[in-house]
Amino acid sequence: MPGSTTLGPGHGVDAIDHPDAQRLASVMRELYGLLTSTGPDRMTDAQVAAVSGGVAQDRAEFTAWVERVVGRLEEATA
């Protein structure tokens, strides 16, 4: 469907407007930067757990997941 991005195999809630998908990609790209930063803006492990649903996540696994999501969103909105 023009103007939207399908996020999964189905329809309905799996599709979001193209501008929303671009905005989500931007937010996720910023999150990735905060996860991988070596400076004072780097997210702490407690912050990573908070954005991971309150469960202590392996930082490397979560960072890789964010990177994959960013890639998929950017590909879908290109």
Side-chain angles (χ1 to χ4, degrees):
M1 169 187 301
S4 68
T5 299
T6 301
L7 299 176
H11 301 284
V13 298
D14 295 332
I16 62 174
D17 292 333
H18 187 79
D20 288 342
Q22 289 176 313
R23 190 173 196 182
L24 181 57
S26 177
V27 169
M28 295 296 286
R29 198 176 316 112
E30 182 67 22
L31 175 60
Y32 180 77
L34 295 171
L35 287 164
T36 59
S37 174
T38 57
D41 292 334
R42 180 180 173 90
M43 290 180 70
T44 66
D45 290 340
Q47 290 168 325
V48 172
V51 298
S52 303
V55 179
Q57 291 279 338
D58 174 37
R59 180 185 211 97
E61 185 277 328
F62 184 66
T63 301
W65 175 82
V66 170
E67 185 177 30
R68 282 192 311 276
V69 170
V70 169
R72 289 176 183 160
L73 284 167
E74 289 177 340
E75 181 180 309
T77 59

